[in-house]
Amino acid sequence: MPEQQECICALATAPGIGAIAIIRVSGKNAIGITNEFFVGKDLNKVASHTVHFGIFRGADKDIDEVLLSVFKAPHSFTKEDSVEISCHGSSFIIQAIMQTLVKNGCRMAQPGEFTQRAFLNGRFDLVQAEAVADLIHADSEVAHRTAFNQLRGGFSDLLAQLREELIHFASLVELELDFGEEDVEFADRDDLRQLIFKIQQQIEQLLNSFESGNAMKEGIPVAIIGQPNVGKSTLLNALFKEEKAIVTDVAGTTRDTIEDTLVLGGYKFRFIDTAGIRETTDKVEKIGIEKSKNALNKAEIVLCLYDEGIEKVFLQNEFAEELSKRKVFWIKNKVDLQEPAEATTDLRISAKNGTGIKELEKQLEKAASEKITGSTILTNLRHFELLSKTNDALNEVLNGLDTGITGDFLAQDIRLSLFHLGELTGTISTDDLLKNIFGKFCIGK
Amino acid sequence: MPEQQECICALATAPGIGAIAIIRVSGKNAIGITNEFFVGKDLNKVASHTVHFGIFRGADKDIDEVLLSVFKAPHSFTKEDSVEISCHGSSFIIQAIMQTLVKNGCRMAQPGEFTQRAFLNGRFDLVQAEAVADLIHADSEVAHRTAFNQLRGGFSDLLAQLREELIHFASLVELELDFGEEDVEFADRDDLRQLIFKIQQQIEQLLNSFESGNAMKEGIPVAIIGQPNVGKSTLLNALFKEEKAIVTDVAGTTRDTIEDTLVLGGYKFRFIDTAGIRETTDKVEKIGIEKSKNALNKAEIVLCLYDEGIEKVFLQNEFAEELSKRKVFWIKNKVDLQEPAEATTDLRISAKNGTGIKELEKQLEKAASEKITGSTILTNLRHFELLSKTNDALNEVLNGLDTGITGDFLAQDIRLSLFHLGELTGTISTDDLLKNIFGKFCIGK
């Protein structure tokens, strides 16, 4: 059991008025310090994981009726002695309790400090610790599932296992060095090559999932394009079920590119409404069209909206190349004003009265589910960069094997790849790195 | 033990992103329903007041790692079986857990429903239940102390005891009625008179404290008056330590009345900055001056600011009557620009560079502490009205005693006063009354 650090406290629930607020206390003597101000029971004598009702009494007066949950090391989130103080959710009471604690041997926790202690005390690795923050901020089904899987260790277990195998080879190669001139080969070069291939395959899979991961976090970018006045802004409003864009019957009303995210069927989309695409002499409108061409380039899914057949042909010709690289939905709008359906596989909608919107949503969800697959998805830039570096170092090892470099150079390249993997999971970490990671957490976590 | 009501659930912590959120579940089968979705331990077999770590598993997927606190009836806040689910503070997770519960036999709680159940199950009386809401919204030391005392039963105990004694007399009087024509007198009329005097004395003390209670809740109104450009807005900014009012050297800059509350030494003040008081021809400024005269009339404390002695005389003459009824501080401003102090008991400040502000704050706190005294303070209009009605009914009893009305009329008046006292503590309550009281609570309380 590691030695317990200085006692820290923080409000762990969201700020603002609520029925209940929780103040977390953790570290050396957390139970003893809290006990000094608790009228009800001697907390030093209670079992772990028990809850006690009583009065929290400040220096000179009763502050609140509280419920205290006591957790004894190592059976707490931080693996330290911890107390959770459940008080009435008034900022006055929260302040009064925290001030009492801080005046008596506690200090205010830094952002993420509870999770940092959990990491340092071996509750989980760095990737899992980062998942805690992702979990709190998850705003779609998929983002939640990915963060939760990551917290439960899916991704970490895989990396830890690969790292183990690589360490095995590294130690064999290093052992060869001890025998100096004797020209022995404990590490079978072919087996090493096979292992590296296997690791690289896994890493590449993870690296490839980063695009999905990013789309998941930021939303899959969906551009809505079409000629002026074809109903792009009306469609946007229909999808969002509110007035996102100003709609008039004047062609060219939308000039700024309007962007917002929406969750459909558990997937997050970032919709981009654009100015109509056509030749124009209006200067401001021209800038808008330029912007919408940029939007098209950033999109992964494109909704091509048209009214008359002629408009569809215009879009097909003008953007043939860009559209060929993207998932495209051809959508005929204003069907409420038209003759009965001609034979077409295009979606037929009326953005104005809502016809076909449900079907469009379903199609979008399907496209998203094809895009975001697999349970292990890379969502964090830090992870992406370290895995890329690991991959590069492994390529160097392969190069070395091909060119038959000496064992000491080989060992160095293997060690570098191990170093990057270790940085990823936190087996190797620096204060700066931890500060950077946990500094982004909210206080109380 | 009362029969348990339908199971309810609600988020009990403040909304928004936090490290932890608490979902409260209470009522019939609260433990069983939660247990269906908990992977970790069989909650039906655990002891009350214990905490359990595990996974909350929705219909088709794991939702979160949670800590569950189990409370068994009658040893919970509501006196029903209850579970507090401590999950990660993400709105996605909160929604997912609540949806799971609601689909499986729970319903969303109404505002204040947990406290209402606590009241209905006899945890506390209505006055104490109302104190819970006051406690959560307390924003000053004094408001907090008053609400906490009320929650702990100070005021309720007093009323309950007086009511007991009155009931005793009522029953004696009613007993006399049973003997009809026999002209017996079980209830000593002099003793009854004495008791009523005693009760009225207590009630009057409470009624008188209502002004303090109101001042405490809303803030003691403090008007700042003085001629234009004497530094009223600068003083306001100095007290608030921020730019509340626009300050220029143009006389008559402040036209709207600026109002805001500030807590000093545990007391809440409502400061009212006013336009300068002088004869003016500017129409807008004239309206402002009219407003500031109104402010003066609403104030309990007045800060009269002057620079030159002539201004002080102007204020003294112009507002002699209004000032005579209020606590007045004469304050000479801009002392940084002046000759050394002449002999005066007035406060000497420089709002601009902060000289004397600390002393002014101290004087204000002293004035407040003289205003708000006693530990039992009436803060609730409902209580004020019911106590007034009780008092009126008791006056009727006294009248009846004086005029020697018959026992049945006497009994009726006593019963009326008992009725009002009962409404106060909730011994007598209607659904409408409860709906009205608990509807003002936040959800989850």
Side-chain angles (χ1 to χ4, degrees), chain A residues 278-296:
Chain A
R278 63 165 182 188
E279 292 307 308
T280 177
T281 49
D282 181 310
K283 219 174 168 183
V284 181
E285 215 189 314
K286 249 186 180 163
I287 297 170
I289 291 176
E290 214 33 65
K291 277 191 188 166
S292 69
K293 285 190 179 175
N294 289 338
L296 179 59

Side-chain angles (χ1 to χ4, degrees), chain B residues 152-288:
Chain B
R152 297 298 288 173
F155 175 156
S156 303
D157 289 352
L158 179 69
L159 292 180
Q161 189 201 324
L162 297 175
R163 192 162 177 273
E164 275 307 308
E165 294 186 41
L166 202 53
I167 285 174
H168 172 68
F169 271 98
S171 56
L172 289 180
V173 172
E174 310 233 355
L175 196 62
E176 292 172 8
L177 301 181
D178 288 345
F179 287 80
E181 309 296 292
E182 291 179 40
D183 198 23
V184 289
E185 223 180 76
F186 298 120
D188 186 291
R189 298 302 189 254
D190 279 340
D191 286 354
L192 177 57
R193 211 184 288 265
Q194 286 311 313
L195 174 65
I196 291 176
F197 283 146
K198 196 172 100 189
I199 297 178
Q200 285 194 316
Q201 203 182 5
Q202 298 281 8
I203 289 181
E204 260 161 43
Q205 212 169 338
L206 282 171
L207 290 176
N208 288 337
S209 76
F210 186 63
E211 199 191 332
S212 290
N214 219 30
M216 191 190 80
K217 252 187 164 170
E218 309 294 331
I220 300 167
V222 183
I224 307 180
I225 69 166
Q227 290 195 49
N229 221 18
V230 76
K232 296 181 295 301
S233 297
T234 311
L235 173 57
L236 193 79
N237 291 346
L239 286 164
F240 278 82
K241 293 173 185 61
E242 65 176 298
E243 286 280 318
K244 278 283 163 199
I246 298 167
V247 172
T248 70
D249 51 12
V250 179
T253 301
T254 303
R255 286 169 168 180
D256 293 311
T257 301
I258 296 177
E259 240 183 279
D260 210 344
T261 58
L262 182 68
V263 175
L264 293 173
Y267 296 97
K268 188 169 166 184
F269 295 89
R270 200 172 75 245
F271 283 94
I272 310 159
D273 185 22
T274 62
I277 293 171
R278 63 165 180 188
E279 291 308 309
T280 176
T281 50
D282 181 310
K283 219 174 168 183
V284 181
E285 214 188 315
K286 246 183 182 165
I287 297 170

Side-chain angles (χ1 to χ4, degrees), chain B residues 7 39 57-58 62 68-69 72 122 124 133 136 142 175 195 210 225 249 253 264 274 276 279 352 432 434:
Chain B
C7 188
V39 185
R57 176 167 292 169
D62 291 347
L68 297 191
S69 303
K72 296 200 172 171
F124 38 47
I136 289 173
V142 181
L175 196 62
L195 174 65
F210 186 63
I225 69 166
D249 51 12
T253 301
L264 293 173
T274 62
E279 291 308 309
K352 206 170 148 196
D432 279 353
L434 296 186

Side-chain angles (χ1 to χ4, degrees), chain B residues 74-89:
Chain B
H75 304 292
S76 74
F77 177 66
T78 55
K79 296 204 162 196
E80 303 177 317
D81 283 341
S82 301
V83 181
E84 289 184 5
I85 304 174
S86 170
C87 61
H88 286 99

Side-chain angles (χ1 to χ4, degrees), chain A residues 168-173 176 184-192:
Chain A
H168 172 69
F169 272 97
S171 57
L172 289 179
V173 173
E176 291 171 6
V184 289
E185 223 180 77
F186 298 121
D188 185 291
R189 297 305 191 251
D190 280 340
D191 287 353
L192 178 57

Side-chain angles (χ1 to χ4, degrees), chain A residues 155-218:
Chain A
F155 173 155
S156 302
D157 290 351
L158 179 71
L159 291 179
Q161 187 201 327
L162 296 174
R163 191 161 177 271
E164 274 308 307
E165 293 186 42
L166 201 55
I167 285 173
H168 172 69
F169 272 97
S171 57
L172 289 179
V173 173
E174 309 234 356
L175 195 63
E176 291 171 6
L177 300 181
D178 290 345
F179 285 80
E181 309 296 295
E182 289 178 41
D183 199 18
V184 289
E185 223 180 77
F186 298 121
D188 185 291
R189 297 305 191 251
D190 280 340
D191 287 353
L192 178 57
R193 212 184 289 265
Q194 285 312 313
L195 174 66
I196 291 176
F197 283 145
K198 195 171 102 187
I199 296 177
Q200 284 193 316
Q201 205 182 1
Q202 297 280 9
I203 288 180
E204 261 161 42
Q205 213 170 335
L206 282 171
L207 290 176
N208 288 337
S209 77
F210 185 62
E211 201 191 329
S212 289
N214 218 31
M216 192 190 79
K217 252 187 165 171
E218 309 294 332

Side-chain angles (χ1 to χ4, degrees), chain A residues 402-422:
Chain A
D402 288 346
T403 56
I405 57 165
T406 56
D408 49 351
F409 283 111
L410 204 56
Q412 203 173 332
D413 288 335
I414 298 179
R415 254 185 270 125
L416 187 60
S417 61
L418 282 171
F419 175 76
H420 291 313
L421 274 181

